[in-house]
Amino acid sequence: MEFINPESLGAPSGYANGLLTDAGGRLLFIAGQIAWNENHEIVSKDFVDQFDKALENVMTVVHAAGGEPSNIARLVIYVTDKIEYRERTSEVGERYRKHMGKHFPAMVLVQVRGLLDDAAKVEIEGIAVLPA
């Protein structure tokens, strides 16, 4: 995969503007993951704890398919409160690096009215390109 970050867009911080890959890999589409445990219970009311568990669940899918963080090409992060996300960016960043290291794929943050579970504050979906 090759990161595409045109100078005219300025240096991205915590994401890539684009990620180019050849078609030689296998695509893994990761369904939206919320902060559920194995019993489909939200693990915490705390925003950062929910972000952590949702990303852990994403990585569980990636690892089950034989991938690793560097294989993730795109993440879409849905939040019910973008202000809470911005206010806790430092903590979110710590949890992100715990799972992803310093790999920053193409990402988008979207504020939504609600998620599958009424108690969910974060949902993360993604696409990974795994070796053929």
Side-chain angles (χ1 to χ4, degrees):
M1 287 192 281
E2 177 186 349
F3 294 99
I4 306 296
N5 291 306
E7 287 183 29
S8 64
L9 296 179
S13 178
Y15 66 95
N17 286 299
L19 229 127
L20 181 63
T21 183
D22 63 24
R26 299 176 301 141
L27 291 179
L28 172 64
F29 295 89
I30 304 143
Q33 300 294 318
I34 60 175
W36 270 349
N37 62 19
E38 64 277 358
N39 298 314
H40 290 185
E41 301 164 330
I42 295 289
V43 298
S44 172
K45 292 180 179 182
D46 180 72
F47 178 84
V48 174
D49 289 344
Q50 285 198 22
F51 177 90
D52 182 62
K53 182 62 175 170
L55 189 56
E56 176 185 313
N57 291 346
V58 166
M59 292 312 306
T60 297
V61 174
V62 171
H63 290 140
E68 55 190 54
S70 63
N71 297 125
I72 294 177
R74 182 171 193 252
L75 291 175
V76 180
I77 303 167
Y78 301 95
V79 298
T80 56
D81 185 347
K82 69 180 179 183
I83 293 171
E84 185 170 20
Y85 177 89
R86 282 191 296 219
E87 288 175 347
R88 302 194 64 193
T89 299
S90 179
E91 295 166 88
V92 166
E94 289 173 14
R95 303 293 179 94
Y96 178 90
R97 289 185 299 278
K98 177 175 105 175
H99 298 287
M100 299 286 290
K102 294 197 177 206
H103 177 67
F104 300 105
M107 286 192 261
V108 63
L109 178 76
V110 181
Q111 180 174 291
V112 295
R113 174 171 269 172
L115 297 165
L116 175 64
D117 187 307
D118 290 337
K121 297 180 178 187
V122 180
E123 183 168 339
I124 305 172
E125 68 168 285
I127 300 172
V129 181
L130 305 176

